[in-house]
Amino acid sequence: MEVALGAGTSDLVRFALDDGVALITIDNPPVNVTSQAVRAGLMAALDAADEAQVSRIVLTGAGTAFVAGADAREFDAPPQPPHLPDIIDRIEASDVPVVAAINGVALGGGLELTLGCAARVAAPTARLGLPEVTLGVIPGAGGTQRLPRLIGFGEAVAMISEGRIIAAEKALQIGLIDALDDDPVAAANALVLPDRPATGALPAPVLDCAATSAAQKGAAKRAKGQIAPLKAIELIEAATQLPLDQGLALERQTFLDLKTSDQAAALRHVFFAERSAMARGRKGGDEITEAVVVGGGTMGSAIAYALAQQSVRVTLVETDDAGAARARDTVAGLYDQAVQRGKIAPEAAEQALARNHSFQAGYDSLPAAQIAIEAVFEDLGVKREVFAALDAALPRTTILATNTSYLDPNSIADGLRDPARFLGLHFFSPAHLMKLVEVIRAQDTAPETLATVLRLTRRMGKIAVPAGVCDGFIGNRILTRYRQICDVMLIEGAMPAQIDAAMREFGMAMGPYEVQDLSGLDIAHANRQRLNWAARPDIRYIPIADRIVEETGRLGRKTGAGWYDYDEGKPLPSALIEGIVTQESERAGITRRAFTDAEIVDRATTAMFDEGLRILDEGIADSAADIDLVLIHGYGFPRWRGGPMHYAERQGQSALLKRIETYSEADPVTWTVPGVLRRLVADGDGLKTLMGDA
């Protein structure tokens, strides 16, 4: 029998009585986050259970989630009562046993709610974890103090510091839950309660120094520069020494301090940006079941493999039989890698290769695929030939997509029967692992074409960012500007190793010159030649990189040397390269000066923001958040800084305006003040006004 909780309470929590058992159901779709209204409803439900003098309380969630955590949208505001720790304390101290019936995901505050209960029953499909460190905070309602008391120090420190989410079966093995059942509510009603004290009353965990060291090393590698994982480890260590009430107080204060930090704000920004990006493919568009990929090199084979993982049948086209055989070997190698990583059994890999892939030379007898993706090398003429052949060989309804990094999709599409079904798909290498894909709207791309491709990329687990047409689209356009500014710093006084070290310390996965050595100096060289940088009056041309390619033949790791010399794979500063750098400074009449690491970072990140602002103003990107996603997922910008646009906004646009004005006074060719930035500062507006949604 369902009972109303009374005036002033939320309908997000339901209360029912059945034969002396109270059932409290959290019903805050889609994932039952513990908003203030939910917390108030829980308190009211516990009051109702007290008044009804029940013998047991079962706590569960509606739909497919128990509780997926706190409402992150409330993090920017002061905490509002009732507070989750108070609810959990009340549950734990209750004279009436509370049993958690974990029907789905129990994450963050959701898992902490269950830790206050006398017992926990989970559905086999449930997943449990305390992933708060991935949002720049730590568990703030007892997780660091109760979890190690329940499952032991080692399991808890690994789980919390990594933000690890585990399956229900694993949770049963480590003692986090007491039973598995397809009907967790019924099982929670009937469960014989375990003979143990409340979780908080269990003995303090025993410190495991080896587990602490492993967690610290893992955090340094996985989350370099991030504060929250290390704070979480400290708090779990504190649980071995402090009484529960002191540990809880320390945990709560740490949580509140981190909640308002720059890192937490950045990670929340990225979290919501990713959620918004993934939502794009939920509505509209047609389902793709058959695809053609042209080009069996590293990129094309990886795209074909990634499509096949979503049960898309893929025909990979090469120019001749030998090329088709090489493509098959490349794709087979990707399955072998998956087998080695334990992702698939050898027999299943063989079956998937046979079932989902075919390889052929030429365009005869292609299947009536819903999409064809071209992944040949960056040559406009070659790409046009490919699309002319595809246009003739495939139905008029087939979507045609070019995987290009810089070339103009509108020029590639010239001559197609129906350009409305054409667009660009800029995958990032390796395409089967990298989550980012830029979806390029050509001038005639139809909305339904875009919708179908976004549906496909979402199915592939990709973060798809729509972009307009310009040289380099979003990511490579900003990368080009970033590298240009770094080259200017080279000729003015810095060296490659210092710039790389400064950007790594800032949090970039690699410095710009390390990245060029990895990808090959010939790629950027070809792009500069295509754009004729040496003759352009609007660019301060720095010839250092071109001299390295043209005079030394050093193209990076693939030739054994580039910006760096290499000793058994270890990069070492090169006297030859440093000599070329200083020669070019002398030739330009520049007196070299020292750069601080902070100055290097300021110039480089301001260049990213400057170019991103222009991209926004031109309508190339739909939002500043999309630019941040591209730089984080495609170019190694530190996630915990939120991307270049978020990072700049946190510094303040007035400060950035003054900085760019200063740069422009000293170097008016390299730096000009974006008019849109002057307008934003004058009007006191944020970046959202550029998209008309402020």
Side-chain angles (χ1 to χ4, degrees), residues 268-620:
R268 287 197 301 275
H269 164 73
V270 177
F271 170 78
F272 286 117
E274 288 172 339
R275 193 164 73 172
S276 177
M278 293 299 290
R280 288 183 176 123
R282 286 180 182 159
K283 296 181 180 179
D286 297 324
E287 197 69 76
I288 300 291
T289 58
E290 186 96 32
V292 168
V293 174
V294 180
T298 300
M299 177 62 76
S301 294
I303 293 171
Y305 174 84
L307 288 166
Q309 302 319 295
Q310 305 306 316
S311 300
V312 176
R313 170 79 181 169
V314 186
T315 299
L316 203 156
V317 178
E318 261 291 348
T319 54
D320 54 32
D321 289 338
R326 286 194 299 271
R328 189 191 187 284
D329 290 343
T330 302
V331 174
L334 295 177
Y335 279 100
D336 289 342
Q337 292 173 20
V339 170
Q340 292 167 10
R341 295 195 305 269
K343 299 294 185 181
I344 190 173
E347 300 80 8
E350 292 178 8
Q351 293 168 3
L353 180 62
R355 180 177 64 251
N356 292 328
H357 297 270
S358 61
F359 305 85
Q360 70 177 61
Y363 301 91
D364 293 339
S365 303
L366 286 178
Q370 294 104 346
I371 190 169
I373 302 172
E374 164 271 313
V376 302
F377 56 89
E378 291 282 86
D379 180 280
L380 180 61
V382 173
K383 288 181 183 288
R384 281 179 170 172
E385 290 177 3
V386 168
F387 281 105
L390 289 172
D391 203 18
L394 292 168
R396 193 181 185 95
T397 55
T398 300
I399 292 172
L400 303 177
T402 177
N403 179 66
T404 181
S405 303
Y406 289 99
L407 298 180
D408 181 356
N410 295 322
S411 296
I412 295 172
D414 188 39
L416 292 180
R417 288 179 295 171
D418 184 8
R421 61 196 172 98
F422 174 88
L423 46 59
L425 275 178
H426 179 207
F427 287 91
F428 286 71
S429 186
H432 62 300
L433 298 177
M434 293 288 280
K435 294 191 70 173
L436 178 67
V437 57
E438 289 179 306
V439 182
I440 315 303
R441 300 177 296 254
Q443 62 186 8
D444 296 313
T445 302
E448 54 269 27
T449 299
L450 186 64
T452 294
V453 170
L454 289 174
R455 181 172 180 172
L456 174 63
T457 54
R458 181 177 186 273
R459 181 174 153 199
M460 295 170 71
K462 302 293 185 184
I463 293 175
V465 175
V469 174
C470 67
D471 197 82
F473 315 123
I474 296 172
N476 278 336
R477 177 170 161 178
I478 292 176
L479 176 66
T480 298
R481 173 72 167 152
Y482 166 50
R483 287 178 172 175
Q484 178 203 16
I485 293 302
C486 291
D487 285 352
V488 169
M489 288 190 282
L490 277 189
I491 204 168
E492 290 184 350
M495 283 294 177
Q498 184 193 4
I499 292 175
D500 282 345
M503 296 313 296
R504 284 198 311 273
E505 184 63 27
F506 171 74
M508 297 291 289
M510 298 175 71
Y513 299 106
E514 294 171 308
V515 172
Q516 287 184 57
D517 268 7
L518 186 63
S519 61
L521 276 68
D522 49 330
I523 297 173
H525 176 266
N527 195 47
R528 288 190 296 272
Q529 301 305 302
R530 177 177 64 87
L531 296 173
N532 196 20
W533 271 30
R536 284 177 55 176
D538 61 325
I539 290 176
R540 185 178 172 189
Y541 173 63
I542 308 297
I544 296 169
D546 286 344
R547 280 192 61 190
I548 293 171
V549 173
E550 295 165 7
E551 297 177 17
T552 73
R554 295 163 63 112
L555 303 181
R557 287 182 177 269
K558 62 187 174 185
T559 60
W563 287 100
Y564 293 91
D565 296 332
Y566 289 90
D567 181 9
E568 296 183 352
K570 180 181 179 181
L572 301 171
S574 167
L576 175 62
I577 299 304
E578 291 184 355
I580 291 175
V581 171
T582 54
Q583 287 170 19
E584 285 304 318
S585 299
E586 293 170 5
R587 182 180 299 179
I590 294 172
T591 300
R592 294 177 63 80
R593 67 174 181 85
F595 279 79
T596 66
D597 288 356
E599 187 177 3
I600 290 169
V601 168
D602 283 348
R603 284 199 178 204
T605 56
T606 301
M608 295 181 196
F609 168 73
D610 181 330
E611 199 64 35
L613 196 60
R614 297 172 195 273
I615 286 169
L616 273 178
D617 195 33
E618 295 167 19
I620 301 300

Side-chain angles (χ1 to χ4, degrees), residues 89 96 117 137 259 279 289 370 400 447 453 461 562 579 638 691:
D89 288 347
V96 176
C117 296
V137 293
K259 188 181 77 147
T289 58
Q370 294 104 346
L400 303 177
V453 170
M691 285 72 71

